[in-house]
Each structure stands twice: as C-alpha cells, then as structure tokens.
C-alpha cells in the first residue's frame, strides 16, 4: 500500500520542492497552503505522515498538530520552521510533534526524518494491533482475567471481572489491587503475590467469595507470571473460574455420585462402589457381568486403581476380537519359529501384566481349547509360550468380563463349568441403564461437560422433551448409546439447549418402549438398524464380527 504524506506550507515553491523529494522516493504526496485546506484534506484522507510549517497564514502548524492529536490519528507530525528557537522546538515536541526541521530543508535531512517517522508509525500501529487483539481475547473469555504489573496495579480486566469481582474495566485501570475491597477476602492478591515472588503458577481451589449479589459464590483461582523471552518478570495474570453451580451440586449430594469415571446414585451402583472399595486390598479374581455398554471396563479400571499398587500395569485384552491362534499368542506369547510368521520371540499379555492386573474382556467368547489353557493360568499362575516347553510364572490379578449369561453357557456346554466357578470368585453385575433410570440425568450432565470441552461449545443442558424421552427410552445400547446420543446432539445443536431434533431418530420417536429387550431382540434391532450389514451391526453392538455370527447361530437368526 502506498504511503500518503501531507505537506502544509504557505510557500508554493517549498511545497513543490519537498513534494518532489518525497515523490521521487515513491511516496504519495498531497500539499496544502493553509490550515483550513490542510484540515479538510486530513478529514478526507488517511495520512501516514504530515510535514507542517509552524508559520501559516492566520493559523500555525501547531494548530495542525493539535487537530491531529484531537482526532487520535496515528500520524506523526514533523514541524518545519524558518526561525528555529529552543522555545519553538520545545513547545512542538511537548504537544506531540515527532521532530522538527529547519529551513532551508535539505533532501537528505527530509528523507532521513521521513523514514524515522514512518518507522515509528509502524511500531505504534503494531502495538495498537496487539492491544486490540489482546482486548478481543480478554472480552471473549467467560472466565475472569485480570493482568497486573509487579506492584499489583491493574493493567487490564475483562467484562467477567465486573460480575464476579466487582472490578469495573473503565474505572479500575491503574488502580492497585491491594487498595480494593474484593469479595474473595484477599486470596486473589495472595495468589498473585505468590506467583510474582516464585515466578511460577499458583492455583487455589474452591475459594469462597463474600459477594453481596451472588451469595455463596465459590471460585477457582489460577495466577501465572508474565515473563518475557529472557525470563524477565513484568507482572502477573489472574484467571478466576466460577465453580458455584458445581460446588452446590456436589454439596447437595448426600452420597458420592462419581467414582473413578463411573457415574451414578442408584442403589445398585452405590453397592458396586462399596464392593470395589471392599476388594481394594484383596487380590482375588473378579468376574464383571452385564450387557454391552454398561461400563464393565470402567469397573476393571477402578479395581486396578484401588489396588495396593496402581502403578503396576493394567493390561486389557478383548478376547472376542481375536481368533483362537492369535488370542493364544497374544495372551501367552510365542517363541521364534513357533508358527508361520513368528520371526522372533514375543512376550504375551500375562507377562506384561506381571505384578499388576489383566482384564479379559468378553471372556465368554473364547474357544474350548483356550478355556482350558486359561483355567490353568488362572489356577496356577503359570503357562508356556506357544512353541516353548519352559514354564513361566507370573503374579497377576485376573479380572474378566462378559455380556453373556455364563450360567446358561455352561448349561449348554459352550463354557467350562470349572473355569466359570474359578472366574466367579467375586461377581460384580452391572445393571442395564433402563434398570437405573435415576442415574440418567447425572450421566447426561457428565457427558455434556465432556463434549463441551471436546467440541468447545457451551451447551447448558437438554430440553424437557428430551429429558422425558431419555427417561422412557429402553436404551438397548446402555450407557454407550446414551453417550453416542449426546455426541450426536452436540454435532447438530447450534444453541445452548439440546432439543428433540438433535437426538437420534430412534430415541426421539414417540413409540419408544421401556421394556428391556432380550439378547436376541438386541441383535435384531442392531441388524435392522444397519440393514443387515454384519460389519456395521457388530460395530453398533461393540463386538467382533466373529462374535456376531456366533450369537446369530446360537439364537437362530438368519437373513
């Protein structure tokens, strides 16, 4: 973009000469012979630099400088004087002139001052852009942001500071934070003083505020130092997040509703929480049963985290996802040459889990031969790698899970009775979601929090219609289906409340049933939903295609 320069002088020859010098350098030059003409051109065009003679007809170049300042134009003004005096120069510089030139103005001096003034303008423009960007960031953040210098004088505060801290952006700049009566009883000052002293971030959680409007207000404080690239401290920034709603929700709960990523207040879930606590110091085998999507893996994780040594490995194996040979190698490892493709020795999952926990998901899907091998390692804590005769001993806690009724599987001869009773030392049964409907609102709120962060949205909740539909729907896919329904709604929802039109069609239909579908009905629902595409149906049910075919055969389902 061409740089525009205005020359104001009542001597035509001076305007012509200076204009030619500047035009030869590629600048776009405009001239004016008096104050009024100059002011008119300043109002019409945006100039990057102004040269003005101090002595004009009727008015002075100082008046032009004042006019530029009054309009807050980021435009350096250089004064030209024929009779330079200290008083004249001092006055011009005092009220904001960038520099002054003495007549006769030489080309080298003119161009040198012009380049310096334009360089200064670029720096000021960049600073203004930075300031505007910073102000935009401050205003867009809903959390309170307050920046201070090393003496805790306020540099900037956003709009949220007015509501939570009663710090008003227009009147608080430059004031000391220490001199203000703040509702947090000075804890924010303590946080900033500490972060400036230590040059590192400081966090205070659940700080009570004695706010006269928002009574019982609770916030989290995070103070961080402002450091330049060389580590020099210039001040600090305070971030305040309102946690009142979450605090009140937790305070009003008579029992724990969250337990190692599991959510629920129903009696059945509370009993499971207590049972996991009981098993914390007992290294026994646990069988987790329940329909697909009820959270069996979360229970396994909680059992491991509550154990004596949660730092030890937790190794997970989906038994239904692998063929018999692959599962055998995966669990026990193999030696080089044990089978085609075994190019080197490999350690199995049981060895990886030594000292910790192995989670065998969908254990009801394994073959009879693998059931026999598993029985031995569960009982004796020993095994051999595929193709090897050397016995390996491990110290592993076994946690198994299944969505099948293993008692029926034993009765039908599909599952070994001795292995069943060996795995079922302690059984934790997870009820389906439609048997614990009082937990649905908590789960919905939990998933809304997760997806607000993931999608960077601010959805507050669900409509009454959606809430009623959720409470009536049968939830064949259990918690996993509820989570996917909320995720689906987040993709479609452009407002801050999820409506019926945002949730999946099969849930929003009016003829939803509260009945609990059988396993066969669940299979048929999944197959019909994807027009009998076996791969997609297996994905809906969160099982392998091999397991789907096996179940279809058991329940005599064919297309």
């Amino acid at each position: 973009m061409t740089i525009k320069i205005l020359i104001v002088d009542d001597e035509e020859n001076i305007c012509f000469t200076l204009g030619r010098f500047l035009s030869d350098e590629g600048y776009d030059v405009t001239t004016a012979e008096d104050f009024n003409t100059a002011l008119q051109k300043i109002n019409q065009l945006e100039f990057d630099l102004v040269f003005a003679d101090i002595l004009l007809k009727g008015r002075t170049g100082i008046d032009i400088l004042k006019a530029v300042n009054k309009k807050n134009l980021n435009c350096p003004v250089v004064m030209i004087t024929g009779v330079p005096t200290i008083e004249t120069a001092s006055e011009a510089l005092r009220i904001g002139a960038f520099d002054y030139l003495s007549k006769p103005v030489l080309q080298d001096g003119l161009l040198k001052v012009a380049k310096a003034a334009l360089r200064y303008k670029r720096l000021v423009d960049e600073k203004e852009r930075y300031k505007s960007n910073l102000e935009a960031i401050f205003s867009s953040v809903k959390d309170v942001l307050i920046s201070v210098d090393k003496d805790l004088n306020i540099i900037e505060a956003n709009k949220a500071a007015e509501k939570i801290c009663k710090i008003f952006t227009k009147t608080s700049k430059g004031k000391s934070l220490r001199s203000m009566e703040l509702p947090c009883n000075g804890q924010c000052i303590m946080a900033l003083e500490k972060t400036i002293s230590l040059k590192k971030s400081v966090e205070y959680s659940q700080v009570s505020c004695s706010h006269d409007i928002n009574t019982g207000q609770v916030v989290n404080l995070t103070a961080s130092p402002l450091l330049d690239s060389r580590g020099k401290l210039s001040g600090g920034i305070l971030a305040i997040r309102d946690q009142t709603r979450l605090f009140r929700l937790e305070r009003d709960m008579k029992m724990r509703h969250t337990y190692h990523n599991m959510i629920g207040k129903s009696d059945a879930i509370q009993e499971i929480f207590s049972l996991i606590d009981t098993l914390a110091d007992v290294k026994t085998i646990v069988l987790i049963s329940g329909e697909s999507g009820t959270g069996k893996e979360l229970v396994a994780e909680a059992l491991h985290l509550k154990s004596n040594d949660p730092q030890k490995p937790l190794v997970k194996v989906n038994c239904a996802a692998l063929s018999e040979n692959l599962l055998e190698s995966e669990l026990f490892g193999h030696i080089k040459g044990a089978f085609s493709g075994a190019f080197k020795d490999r350690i199995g999952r049981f060895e990886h889990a030594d000292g910790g926990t192995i989670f065998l998901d969908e254990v009801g899907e394994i073959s009879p031969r693998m059931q026999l091998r598993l029985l031995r390692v569960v009982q004796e804590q020993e095994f051999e790698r595929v193709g090897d005769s050397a016995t390996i001993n491990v110290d592993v806690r076994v946690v198994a899970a299944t969505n099948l009724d293993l008692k029926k599987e034993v009765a039908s001869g599909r599952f070994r009775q001795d292995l069943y009773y060996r795995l079922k030392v302690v059984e934790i049964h997870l009820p389906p979601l439609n048997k614990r409907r009082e937990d649905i609102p908590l789960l919905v709120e939990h998933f809304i929090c997760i997806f607000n962060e993931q999608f960077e949205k601010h959805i507050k909740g669900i409509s009454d219609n959606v809430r009623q539909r959720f409470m009536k729907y049968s939830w064949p896919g259990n918690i996993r289906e509820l989570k996917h329904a909320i995720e689906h709604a987040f993709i479609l929802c452009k407002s801050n409340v999820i409506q019926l039109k945002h949730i999946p069609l099969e849930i929003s239909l009016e003829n939803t049933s509260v009945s609990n579908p059988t396993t066969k009905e669940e299979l048929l629902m999944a197959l019909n939903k994807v027009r009998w595409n076996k791969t997609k149906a297996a994905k809906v049910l969160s099982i392998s295609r091999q397991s789907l075919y096996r179940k279809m055969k058991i329940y005599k389902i064919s297309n």
Side-chain angles (χ1 to χ4, degrees), residues 508-519:
S508 63
L509 292 175
E510 291 187 359
N511 61 349
T512 50
S513 168
V514 295
S515 61
N516 183 19
T518 63
T519 304

Side-chain angles (χ1 to χ4, degrees), residues 377-388:
V377 72
V378 169
Q379 288 186 152
E380 308 298 337
Q381 296 274 293
E382 65 180 30
F383 59 92
E384 291 82 36
R385 295 180 188 172
V386 177
D388 196 8

Side-chain angles (χ1 to χ4, degrees), residues 514-531:
V514 295
S515 61
N516 183 19
T518 63
T519 304
K520 183 175 182 179
E521 289 171 340
E522 183 179 349
L523 290 169
L524 288 170
M525 289 172 65
L527 287 163
N528 287 325
K529 183 177 180 179
V530 296
R531 298 180 180 180

